[in-house]
């Protein structure tokens, strides 16, 4: 289980899902990654699309992690009810915000999550014995730090009871530090290293997204336990471009007269 794995520091390699289709989610779910991030912040996703992707991933070894578009208590309730048990909440900047997100994941009296298990997929429509009392145990809450304020509060956010991990957003953090589009800048990398240390010192898991394999390995070596190493959009875009470029380079070359293999 993803939550148990990151709690013990066992590394979990992930892959970003931004294409917003259950078909590609199902393909990626069988690729061998430990977790898949369904992106509701920057990907063109909505609640029904996220539900379809959760259904497509179900039964695979990969843990679906759903990123909300914003830190909103109502959205937390909705995503939990459709069966997302691991949430990533963006733009967290204080321990108070962190505590509010923890409360949103818990039923009263320990929190403020609305009780709708009878019509919720999460409880299998009340077919899961004890769901109302046990749900909190299985929910994994990851909070995203990606601003100067978030960096300054990083330890306090991580130390908040009920937070399982802190995800450091390199792209927004780079922009916040004055290096828009350059997350590999030494200043940004130093800030990320410091944030990882503060999260780990609070006894929680640290995570990141790094499409650059060199950076991904650096973060893993620094102690990050859940690292996404690519995105579906980027793999498709760069792969398609590279394939087209190879054949464009062949234009003008003499043909061999061989018949192409029609099989896939």
């Amino acid at each position: 289980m993803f939550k148990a794995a990151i709690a013990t520091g066992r590394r979990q390699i992930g892959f970003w899902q931004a294409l917003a289709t259950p078909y590609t989610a199902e393909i990626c779910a069988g690729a061998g990654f430990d977790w898949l991030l369904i992106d509701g912040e920057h990907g063109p996703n909505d609640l029904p699309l996220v539900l379809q992707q959760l259904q497509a991933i179900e039964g695979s070894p990969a843990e679906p992690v759903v990123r909300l578009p914003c830190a909103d208590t109502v959205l937390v309730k909705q995503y939990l009810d459709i069966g997302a048990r691991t949430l990533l909440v963006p733009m967290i900047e204080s321990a108070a915000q962190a505590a509010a997100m923890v409360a949103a994941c818990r039923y009263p009296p320990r929190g403020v999550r609305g009780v709708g298990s009878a019509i919720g997929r999460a409880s299998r429509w009340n077919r899961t014995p004890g769901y109302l009392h046990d749900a909190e145990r299985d929910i994994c809450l990851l909070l995203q730090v990606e601003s100067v304020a978030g960096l300054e509060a990083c330890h306090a956010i991580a130390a908040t009871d009920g937070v399982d991990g802190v995800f450091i957003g390199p792209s927004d953090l780079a922009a916040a530090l004055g290096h828009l589009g350059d997350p590999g800048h030494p200043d940004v990398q130093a800030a990320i290293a410091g944030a990882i240390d503060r999260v780990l010192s609070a006894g929680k898991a640290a995570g990141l997204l790094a499409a650059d394999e060199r950076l991904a390995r650096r973060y893993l070596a620094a102690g990050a336990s859940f690292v996404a190493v690519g995105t579906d959009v980027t793999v498709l875009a760069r792969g398609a471009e590279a394939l087209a470029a190879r054949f464009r380079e062949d234009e003008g070359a003499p043909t061999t007269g061989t018949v192409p293999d029609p099989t896939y």
Side-chain angles (χ1 to χ4, degrees), residues 1 10 21 31 63 73 92 108 113 122 157 171 188 190 193:
M1 183 178 176
R10 192 164 76 249
T21 72
E63 172 77 10
T73 298
I92 299 299
R113 179 184 176 187
I157 291 168
S171 295
V188 181

Side-chain angles (χ1 to χ4, degrees), residues 6 64 102 126 144 183 211 251:
I6 64 171
V102 172
N126 273 351
Q144 190 161 330
E251 286 183 349

Side-chain angles (χ1 to χ4, degrees), residues 1 3 77 80-81 83-87 102 104-108 110 113-117 121-124 126 128-141 162 164:
M1 183 178 176
K3 179 174 180 174
K77 172 179 61 180
L80 290 176
D81 282 352
R85 67 178 181 180
T86 302
L87 301 180
V102 172
C105 293
R106 296 178 172 180
Y107 288 121
R110 288 171 53 78
R113 179 184 176 187
V115 182
S117 61
R121 178 174 178 265
S123 68
R124 298 297 164 176
N126 273 351
T128 302
Y131 176 80
L132 290 174
H133 298 284
D134 299 336
E136 176 186 318
R137 177 194 62 201
D138 295 329
I139 292 169
C140 181
L141 179 61
D164 295 287

Side-chain angles (χ1 to χ4, degrees), residues 35-254:
W35 58 285
L36 299 180
L37 190 287
I38 302 171
D39 195 348
E41 183 185 18
H42 292 297
N45 273 306
D46 58 14
L47 200 67
L49 267 178
V50 170
L51 170 58
Q52 291 171 33
Q53 289 167 84
L54 289 171
Q55 292 169 325
I57 296 170
E58 187 173 18
S60 79
E63 172 77 10
V65 179
V66 178
R67 179 159 74 169
L68 278 64
C70 62
D72 182 270
T73 298
V74 173
L75 288 176
V76 170
K77 172 179 61 180
Q78 290 181 303
Y79 281 91
L80 290 176
D81 282 352
I82 64 170
R85 67 178 181 180
T86 302
L87 301 180
L88 174 59
V89 184
M91 286 293 178
I92 299 299
E93 297 187 324
S94 69
Q97 276 187 300
M101 290 299 97
V102 172
C105 293
R106 296 178 172 180
Y107 288 121
R110 288 171 53 78
V112 296
R113 179 184 176 187
V115 182
S117 61
I119 58 172
R121 178 174 178 265
S123 68
R124 298 297 164 176
W125 308 279
N126 273 351
R127 293 170 184 162
T128 302
Y131 176 80
L132 290 174
H133 298 284
D134 299 336
E136 176 186 318
R137 177 194 62 201
D138 295 329
I139 292 169
C140 181
L141 179 61
L142 310 173
L143 301 181
Q144 190 161 330
V145 166
E146 49 196 331
S147 66
V148 173
L151 271 184
E152 292 172 350
C154 189
H155 185 275
I157 291 168
T160 301
D161 183 43
V163 172
D164 295 287
V166 172
F167 182 90
I168 302 151
S171 295
D172 280 294
L173 187 55
L177 294 175
H179 304 289
L180 179 63
D182 188 12
H185 190 282
D187 291 347
V188 181
Q189 288 301 301
I192 289 172
I196 291 174
D197 286 343
R198 290 194 290 280
V199 173
L200 296 180
S201 71
K204 301 296 175 63
L208 297 100
L209 164 64
D212 182 324
E213 186 174 331
R214 176 183 56 87
L215 290 178
R217 294 187 182 280
R218 176 187 295 178
Y219 300 147
L220 288 165
S225 55
F226 60 105
V227 176
V229 296
T231 74
D232 55 1
V233 169
T234 303
V235 167
L236 176 60
R238 300 296 88 80
E241 291 161 4
L243 180 60
R246 287 197 297 274
F247 281 86
R248 290 297 185 194
E249 290 168 1
D250 290 344
E251 286 183 349

